[in-house]
Each structure stands twice: as structure tokens, then as C-alpha cells.
Amino acid sequence: MIIHVVEDYKQLSAKAADIVANQVMLKNNAVLGLATGSTPEGMYQQLVQMHREGTVDFSRVVTFNLDEYLGLSPEHPQSYHYYMRHHLFDHINISLQNTHIPLGQANNMNKMCLEYDGKIAAAGGIDLLVLGIGANGHIGFNEPNTHLKVQTHIIDLTQDTIEANSRFFDMPEEVPRQAVTMGMGSIMKARRIMLLASGTNKAPAIEETLSGRITTAVPASFLQLHHDVIFILDREAAAFLVEPDRGFYIPEALRRHVSLVLEPGA
Ligand code: PGA
């Protein structure tokens, strides 16, 4: 496990974009797992910029998004289909038929979920999966619960998540109560995972995620079992790694498993 601590959101976005770009340069038909939400917006902006400068070629890249709101059509401005086109796909040379996002509206949702996992497997699995994290510790929309599911599935969003998502909708009653999400299986099977977190509101979830304990109450805590995971945290999200008199430190529970990388200025 590698934890990169950077100064701020701008550095976080640049670092994350570099890691994605390197993956694509290494393997031009890389399979990327992609996240939505506020956190990766800056990374997508940087990737678009790199593409414009001719540094990254997405023509053979394949993508699988983590999740989508249940009931929203791909054209809905708050759907993750719309988000991905707006922030990334419409600005790079990716072939839209190589991009995959779970459908929020399908005649047979169970079939759609099964097929989604099948397509990930048929593509050879995910090379690099980008994750955000909810303030409640969710990854994708795998919400804290007494159990987590392995496969792509429909999930009831928790009240915390509904409230966090309401900032994107005009009226509270428009906020979807359910979503379809990649399960913990496809997440944990990704060959490499990069989790991004920015801001003080993510600090408690990050502390719980890296606590040395694994619990379904904090789905991201399962990432401690993954063999190749990078956390990119800005200073605020990494607040638990700071002690007033000692500067940065690595908590006891993590010492044997973690390399802490401090970016200049962090
Ligand atoms: P955010 O969402 O990037 O908008 O904070 C992250 C998440 O809920 O996974």
C-alpha cells in the first residue's frame, strides 16, 4: 500500500492524472475503472489537457464505471453517463463503444448487472481502478451495511449519501434513493487501485479505512487487503497522519504495510 500525501486538490488531480496516463502509456489498450463525483473532476480535466497536448492516446482504452443512479436515463444531466461524457469522453479520442457504465434504466436490471460483470471479465479485468470515497466510507455505491455484495447490484443509498448527493439536484425529492453499483468483487479484483480523497470531510473515513481493522461498516477498509493500492490524499484528508509535534507519522497498525510518500510542499 502506498499513501501519497499532496498539498492540495490541484496536486492531487495532477498526480492522479499522471498515474492514469502512465497506465495508458504502458498498455495502450488498458482497462480502466472510473469514478464520478467531485473528487475526480480535476483529474479528468488534466487528462483532457494531456490528450490535447498529444501526450495520451485513448483510442484503444476500455473503461468501466463504478456506478449509476437507478431510474436516471443516460441523458439526464445528473446521470453518471452524462457526467462521463461531459468531463471526459467528449473531449478525448476514446471510442464510445469501449466505454461501459451500468444502466440506471433497463428492462431487466438483474440481467444487466450480470452482463456488466461478464463484460468486465471478458475484457480481462480492470488494470487500474480509480475510486473516490464517501464520507461514510463507501466505495462505488457499496454502502456501509452488515454485509457487502460481491457482484454488480442494485443498492438502497444511505441517508448520508442521499444528503451528500442532494447538492447536485434542484429539489430534494429528485435525489435518487437507489443506485446500481459494481460490487466488492470487481473492485477487489482490479489489478491496481487508486483511491483519491480531498478535504477535511473525508478525513474520518480515511482514518477508518486505514485503521488496521476491516469491517463492512466501512467498505473502503477492505482495500487494506489489496496487494496494489495507492491512496492519494491531500493534506486535509490525511489529517490523521499529522501529529502536532511530530509532523507526519504512520499509525502503528499500518507500519508494516505502508510506504508514505510526501510530495514536496505537503
Ligand atoms: P465526491 O464523492 O467525490 O463527490 O466527494 C465520492 C464518493 O461518494 O464516492
Side-chain angles (χ1 to χ4, degrees), residues 193-240:
I193 296 178
M194 172 172 76
L195 183 144
L196 312 178
S198 167
T200 45
N201 70 322
K202 298 293 171 68
I206 290 293
E207 181 168 9
E208 287 292 318
T209 294
L210 297 172
S211 64
R213 291 183 304 273
I214 291 154
T215 166
T216 58
V218 183
S221 66
F222 280 78
L223 298 175
Q224 294 171 111
L225 297 177
H226 196 276
H227 63 282
D228 190 356
V229 54
I230 312 168
F231 287 80
I232 304 181
L233 312 174
D234 68 8
R235 234 176 202 285
E236 290 185 347
F240 82 107

Side-chain angles (χ1 to χ4, degrees), residues 145-245:
N145 203 334
T146 51
H147 63 274
L148 300 173
K149 288 196 179 162
V150 173
Q151 281 155 345
T152 297
H153 60 284
I154 291 173
I155 187 142
D156 293 333
L157 299 177
T158 61
Q159 200 51 39
D160 304 344
T161 298
I162 293 168
E163 278 161 28
N165 294 346
S166 66
R167 69 191 195 276
F168 299 111
F169 291 83
D170 295 333
M171 310 285 280
E173 58 275 16
E174 287 173 22
V175 188
R177 266 48 184 175
Q178 288 182 300
V180 51
T181 184
M182 207 182 266
M184 295 298 286
S186 297
I187 292 178
M188 293 301 285
K189 274 188 247 164
R191 282 185 272 286
R192 194 167 203 215
I193 296 178
M194 172 172 76
L195 183 144
L196 312 178
S198 167
T200 45
N201 70 322
K202 298 293 171 68
I206 290 293
E207 181 168 9
E208 287 292 318
T209 294
L210 297 172
S211 64
R213 291 183 304 273
I214 291 154
T215 166
T216 58
V218 183
S221 66
F222 280 78
L223 298 175
Q224 294 171 111
L225 297 177
H226 196 276
H227 63 282
D228 190 356
V229 54
I230 312 168
F231 287 80
I232 304 181
L233 312 174
D234 68 8
R235 234 176 202 285
E236 290 185 347
F240 82 107
L241 292 171
V242 184
E243 279 209 335
D245 302 328

